[in-house]
Amino acid sequence: MKKRALITGITGQDGSYLAELLLDKGYEVFGLYRRTSTSSFTRINHLLDKIYLMPGDLLDQTSLAYALKESNPDEVYNLAAQSFVESAFETAVSTAEADGLGPVRLLESIRLLNPNIRFYQASTSEMYGKVQEVPQTEKTPFYPRSPYGAAKLYAHWATINYREAYGLHASCGILFNHESPRRGEEFVTRKIAKYSAAIKYGLTDKIPLGNLNSKRDWGYSKDYVEAMWLMLQQDNPDDYVIATGENHTVREFLEEAFRVAQIKEGYEKYVQVKQEFLRPAEVDLLLGDPSKAKKELGWKPKTTFKELVKIMVEAELENLKGCKKFNQRKPRIYKPNISPDRPIKPPSR
């Protein structure tokens, strides 16, 4: 009998790769998606005839209970979230509702309907924030530096509480930054890859960025979803850091992207550092220690940093091949400076 899995956030980067993995392993895959006026299935278009989609929302307990009852899954992977850190500063309350309380609604539904379901919670390295030790392990104290990190930390501890209080098979994956050509365009790695390709083809002459010195532990999403699956195959639930064990600056990502795109001039000619892309509270360095995952799950990253950049840039070069224009026009959205040393001021008339 085929195993069944329910993935929240199936339309996202990780959700799409996880769906592919589970289908390859013979699962029946159900995906929860949030109904909007213009639902986007771009990342899962090639899977639409192989999976079952169900409308639902982490803010709505009834829709979650209905999805669980109808899909009757063996495993639930909670990947849905408001995951863009910059947006979390502007929408702190809704981020807390979705990323903090949303998983609790899902856990509570599992506890009441079928406590035998195995549950995966997508935790994040952003919970470490102002890091207390380097590298970060499962035992490193947390110090989130954004509403996103704080909300995710609440859900992380709630998952542990449900595991210990009710005996649920509930595990948390503390995933460090993981990227791919399916990454949202607002994320710095995808932006660099896309703009590098546009510069190569003469479609633009600038890349608007924030802090070039931020250090991140970057891996490949396709590798990381395998770790999620492995966690739910263990006899006992637990929490695991999933990372590469090495970090690189945004500047290094830029340099490698330009090398892959074969742009002769240095990136300095094209980069525009903009205040709007700087965080009110910066996370300067994230570096994970995946030793526990390697030992207990038998997992290790398969894709190197340079291979990851190459995959992303080559995908953008292919996407933009033959394009005559590069769409850089965006709506004029007023973004107040929420730095603690500057009061919020309305736009001048």
Side-chain angles (χ1 to χ4, degrees):
M1 188 173 180
K2 282 188 174 183
K3 274 189 174 183
R4 287 185 168 193
L6 173 64
I7 303 171
T8 71
I10 195 169
T11 60
Q13 169 188 250
D14 291 359
S16 63
Y17 283 121
L18 179 60
E20 289 175 349
L21 176 73
L22 296 179
L23 287 170
D24 287 343
K25 293 183 179 297
Y27 280 66
E28 282 187 287
V29 176
F30 294 77
L32 194 75
Y33 76 98
R34 190 160 56 89
R35 192 188 296 278
T36 62
S37 58
T38 54
S39 295
S40 175
F41 301 123
T42 304
R43 297 182 180 94
I44 56 171
N45 269 337
H46 61 300
L47 303 177
L48 292 179
D49 60 342
K50 301 174 184 177
I51 61 179
Y52 303 94
L53 291 177
M54 312 179 75
D57 196 314
L58 291 183
L59 274 60
D60 185 74
Q61 184 87 37
T62 303
S63 68
L64 299 178
Y66 177 81
L68 287 169
K69 185 177 179 181
E70 292 298 310
S71 61
N72 191 24
D74 300 285
E75 301 168 1
V76 170
Y77 296 85
N78 182 40
L79 310 185
Q82 191 300 101
S83 59
F84 190 42
V85 176
E86 181 184 331
S87 293
F89 282 101
E90 299 158 6
T91 57
V93 175
S94 61
T95 296
E97 282 282 354
D99 298 5
L101 292 177
V104 176
R105 295 185 184 100
L106 196 49
L107 283 161
E108 188 66 4
S109 297
I110 289 172
R111 181 181 75 86
L112 294 172
L113 293 173
N114 182 2
N116 293 318
I117 291 173
R118 296 191 172 197
F119 177 78
Y120 170 83
Q121 168 61 17
S123 292
T124 171
S125 58
E126 287 286 335
M127 300 187 307
Y128 294 117
K130 188 175 181 180
V131 298
Q132 302 300 291
E133 65 177 1
V134 179
Q136 292 89 57
T137 71
E138 293 80 5
K139 295 182 179 179
T140 300
F142 298 113
Y143 196 140
R145 296 267 281 173
S146 69
Y148 169 71
K152 279 288 192 176
L153 183 54
Y154 176 82
H156 178 81
W157 280 113
T159 301
I160 293 171
N161 180 252
Y162 271 77
R163 180 171 74 213
E164 295 178 350
Y166 304 115
L168 297 188
H169 194 295
S171 297
C172 298
I174 308 174
L175 272 59
F176 281 64
N177 294 66
H178 46 292
E179 320 298 318
S180 77
R182 300 179 191 174
R183 189 61 141 151
E185 292 187 6
E186 68 271 24
F187 289 88
V188 67
T189 50
R190 178 76 189 282
K191 181 190 286 188
I192 290 172
K194 186 172 183 177
Y195 274 78
S196 297
I199 289 170
K200 173 65 176 178
Y201 292 138
L203 300 175
T204 188
D205 59 0
K206 60 184 178 182
I207 307 180
L209 293 171
N211 185 359
L212 303 186
N213 297 315
S214 292
K215 292 183 178 180
R216 293 293 184 269
D217 186 327
W218 278 305
Y220 186 25
S221 174
K222 196 170 183 177
D223 294 344
Y224 284 34
V225 298
E226 184 180 10
M228 300 176 189
W229 175 77
L230 285 169
M231 289 180 210
L232 298 198
Q233 310 316 305
Q234 305 306 303
D235 291 335
N236 299 307
D238 208 342
D239 310 315
Y240 298 89
V241 164
I242 305 300
T244 68
E246 60 179 66
N247 62 11
H248 299 271
T249 63
V250 172
R251 196 183 305 277
E252 288 176 81
F253 201 104
L254 261 171
E255 291 170 345
E256 187 61 23
F258 270 51
R259 188 190 69 78
V260 173
Q262 298 181 350
I263 300 170
K264 293 180 181 180
E265 302 95 338
Y267 68 86
E268 295 89 351
K269 177 181 176 180
Y270 302 97
V271 169
Q272 292 182 332
V273 175
K274 292 196 170 185
Q275 181 72 27
E276 64 188 277
F277 297 126
L278 299 175
R279 297 185 187 184
E282 183 59 80
V283 174
D284 297 311
L285 184 157
L286 291 173
L287 176 62
D289 179 357
S291 298
K292 181 179 176 181
K294 290 180 180 180
K295 180 181 178 181
E296 297 185 12
L297 302 179
W299 178 88
K300 61 180 180 180
K302 301 173 184 176
T303 309
T304 67
F305 172 73
K306 288 188 175 183
E307 289 170 342
L308 171 64
V309 179
K310 186 173 186 287
I311 288 169
M312 295 184 69
V313 174
E314 288 184 346
E316 297 300 337
L317 288 168
E318 184 63 29
N319 288 341
L320 293 179
K321 184 184 293 184
C323 287
K324 301 300 181 183
K325 292 183 179 180
F326 180 56
N327 183 18
Q328 301 176 67
R329 297 183 66 183
K330 295 182 179 180
R332 296 179 66 188
I333 300 174
Y334 173 62
K335 299 180 69 174
N337 187 330
I338 54 177
S339 173
D341 60 340
R342 291 187 62 182
I344 295 176
K345 296 181 180 179
S348 57
R349 291 178 180 268

